[in-house]
Amino acid sequence: MIKYSNTSELEGLGEIIGQESAIKAMELGLKIDNPAYNIFVAGDSGTGKTTYVLNALNTYAQEKNDHKDWCYVYNFENSREPIVVALDKGIGKLFKKDMEKLIETLLDELKDAFESEEFEMSKNELLDDYEIEKEALLQKIKKYGEEKGFKLKSSKVGMIFTPEDESVDTSSEEFYKVKKELENAAIQVAYKIRDIEEDAKEALLDLENEIGKYIVNPHIENLIDKYGSFDKIKKYLEDTRDDILEYVYLFYMDEEELKDKYDKEHFTKYKVNLLVDNGLDKSGAPVVVEINPSPSNLFGKAEYEYYNGTVKTDFTKLLPGAMHKANGGYLVLYVDQLLRYNLSWDILKKTIQQGEITLDTQTAIKPEKIPVNVKVVLIGSNYMYNLMYNYDSEFNKYFKIFVDFDNEMKKDENNEMRLSRFIASYCNKNNLKHLTYSGVEQIIKYSTRITGDREKLSTKFNKIVEILVEGDAYAKIRGAEFVDKEDILKAIRERRERFSKIEKKMDESLEKGFTLISTEGSKVGVINGLSVLNMGEYSFGRPSRITVTTAPGSNGIVNIEREVEMSGPIHSKGVLILNGFLLENLSQEFPLSLNANICFEQNYGGVDGDSASGAELYALLSSLSEIPIKQNIGVTGSINQKGDIQVVGGVTEKVEGFYYTCKKKGLTGKQGVILPRNNLRNLVLLDEINDAILQGKFHIYPVDRIEEAIEILTDKTFDEVKQAAIYKLKIYSELDKK
């Protein structure tokens, strides 16, 4: 790594580190314009996957500019099915404002027109003409009656003729005949008057319509000129004009009268519901992150109001979901949140499949579906990916791109420098003190320790950031200009201290003698196995005393933990492997007759994993051969039936755990740990333990085969131990025959 004084001298890093494969997959997914090629991003927390995803999406979003504004408008043909309208971005707001302005203008202009003196004069002139015609008919029938000797009277039931001469004989046939003739004539006049009144009404409506057209048409035509190029807008504006002209009287009606006689929400139909507003100044396609993906938050909903005891809604109360807002761009969802809503996942798949959004209002209103073009990005863990892949047959149809974030990267000069530049960037961005070169070296060691591999660096940058922040605090306490090695080490130590309550309790139990562990001497059938305890993000190693007893019989090897249901399946498998090894190596000349009990002493929380199978075999051979095992050596490593020692996890914690146990009981210079040779690269020990190893105060014994381990533990050859064990098994076999 290039030498520098402190990270302020370095250029900041503007890229993600150690995720080349994931980046390639992500870029491929973003370049494929196919609704089935949605993306699943998997990886451990803290690897920077969310930050990278959002940065990548925002970069690609700048290259897309075909997203739309979406509006819902009234459907004059079917009010239950609002019409959706797509407009160029930023035009939706203008259209909404223009429609609001249209209605406001028409309310003023139509009211002024119909309350004007000119309109009153035209209306009165029209009505006067019809009144004259009506009066002429009445005068004509009146005169005709007078010629026949009758007077015309009007009543609530119509026109009535009475004789002028009261002395006339009203019972005569002539009188009856004349009166009947006049009554028939009066009926005909009444019909004509009714027709005249209807004509007057029609003429008045025509007058209103002409005035309405005169005022309304120019405004509508202006809007058609402005928006008519958009799909559906021209027809909607024409329907709006026809509806306004049909109900033009509502535009000049007194407000109180309108409220009393008509639905106060009549004018709602002329509104525009701007469902998605992408704005004129928004560059690039939308990138939407929905952290609470309930069905309504994802796919929209309708608001309701209670009116006269009933629930009401309309197209103006339709609200968008994240899918609407992301239309034409990208939608980011967190899998663990998404799967909390089974319905959301089902609707999401259906939406991708059909290529349109169904806004479910749960009422009789059924809004028109909106065509959708969204790249969906799911963020989750590898576990969730495998779960969905294996248990949902449709998952792979719609999420064909898998972006897998690794939690480690190769440790080389290039990546070490990139990590240094990441530290520089983070310090600059968050106003932290920069790190000295030795401080960065300690961060690199810590990063390697997280991976448990000397040849790797961790990509869990959240863990590194925590140490940077805490190291900065300790440097401030010292009053130092830069964060140095001692600040980083203190941050790491103090962090362990905060999480180490259980470890301290176990140390206390060991010191008081409650936990029986020997780190000196030798014992038959007793060995110090090593295990790792995980307490959330903190893990530490501890020795566990494993004991084995043997006797004649035919029960074979009994795993006491398994018998009391405290053994996990992998541990149980490891114990069964011991039987295979014994059969091949110790029982070729006679049947295997044996009662052997294996137990993890003082284990109250269960045990799993096969890393103790080697220790169990060594203790079993010790019990059979009656050759004691050194108690100053801890053992880890799994075995196979052929006697090979296989790698195990947590070797760093196991070695450190046994070291500190020995330290508490007194280091003798003879203590150490047997571990698989292939695990050496996984040893990333604390400086104190590395120094103890270099000074010969503590030892590491890497082995490949069981024979090597037996010789270290017993100071005898494997052949000697084997022959002693065979001798014991022959005795057991003879006893079993009897």
Side-chain angles (χ1 to χ4, degrees), residues 525-529 544-548 598-601 612 615-616 619:
V526 179
I527 195 167
N528 287 324
S544 298
R545 174 176 280 188
I546 301 172
T547 60
V548 178
I598 298 177
C599 180
F600 271 72
E601 303 294 351
E616 290 166 336

Side-chain angles (χ1 to χ4, degrees), residues 116-175:
S116 66
E117 184 177 346
E118 291 85 351
F119 174 70
E120 286 299 321
M121 289 177 60
S122 298
K123 182 174 74 171
N124 291 335
E125 183 179 336
L126 184 148
L127 294 177
D128 286 346
D129 290 341
Y130 285 101
E131 282 297 325
I132 291 170
E133 188 177 352
K134 176 181 173 182
E135 186 61 31
L137 286 172
L138 289 173
Q139 289 300 323
K140 185 177 180 181
I141 190 65
K142 180 181 179 182
K143 184 178 179 181
Y144 183 67
E146 289 173 352
E147 290 176 356
K148 297 291 186 179
F150 284 81
K151 292 186 294 184
L152 177 66
K153 290 183 178 181
S154 296
S155 71
K156 293 181 180 180
V157 297
M159 291 179 283
I160 299 174
F161 287 94
T162 59
E164 291 181 346
D165 183 0
E166 294 180 0
S167 63
V168 69
D169 182 6
T170 57
S171 61
S172 67
E173 184 177 345
E174 183 65 24
F175 177 84

Side-chain angles (χ1 to χ4, degrees), residues 545-681:
R545 174 176 280 188
I546 301 172
T547 60
V548 178
T549 59
T550 54
S554 57
N555 291 330
I557 300 173
V558 176
N559 174 12
I560 292 178
E561 266 70 31
R562 181 175 181 274
E563 295 302 309
V564 295
E565 298 182 351
M566 293 178 66
S567 174
I570 298 176
H571 176 250
S572 297
K573 176 186 176 184
V575 174
L576 292 174
I577 287 173
L578 304 185
N579 196 63
F581 179 86
L582 293 181
L583 288 171
E584 181 167 279
N585 287 272
L586 307 181
S587 186
Q588 291 295 309
E589 299 177 2
F590 51 86
L592 184 64
S593 297
L594 171 70
N595 281 349
N597 292 318
I598 298 177
C599 180
F600 271 72
E601 303 294 351
Q602 294 183 290
N603 168 39
Y604 308 109
V607 61
D608 199 8
D610 63 353
S611 64
S613 59
E616 290 166 336
L617 178 59
Y618 310 147
L620 176 60
L621 291 173
S622 170
S623 178
L624 285 171
S625 65
E626 299 184 5
I627 296 174
I629 290 175
K630 297 175 184 177
Q631 301 299 294
N632 56 299
I633 296 178
V635 178
T636 186
S638 72
I639 64 161
N640 60 28
Q641 294 184 103
K642 299 296 183 180
D644 297 315
I645 307 299
Q646 302 168 141
V647 296
V648 293
V651 288
T652 295
E653 290 84 356
K654 290 173 181 177
V655 170
E656 291 177 350
F658 192 67
Y659 169 82
Y660 284 117
T661 297
C662 293
K663 184 179 178 181
K664 284 179 175 60
K665 297 180 79 68
L667 287 171
T668 64
K670 295 181 180 180
Q671 292 127 333
V673 172
I674 291 174
L675 50 77
R677 190 178 304 277
N678 288 336
N679 267 134
L680 282 177
R681 66 177 285 178

Side-chain angles (χ1 to χ4, degrees), residues 322-372:
M323 184 66 79
H324 296 94
K325 297 173 185 176
N327 203 358
Y330 306 93
L331 175 62
V332 179
L333 302 172
Y334 296 98
V335 177
D336 58 337
Q337 298 294 328
L338 177 64
L339 295 186
R340 292 183 182 185
Y341 302 97
N342 291 334
L343 192 57
S344 290
W345 173 238
D346 290 337
I347 298 175
L348 178 63
K349 290 187 293 183
K350 183 179 178 181
T351 301
I352 294 172
Q353 179 189 32
Q354 297 181 348
E356 56 189 14
I357 311 171
T358 301
L359 203 159
D360 186 7
T361 62
Q362 297 181 343
T363 63
I365 187 172
K366 293 183 179 180
E368 185 179 2
K369 296 178 181 179
I370 297 178
V372 65

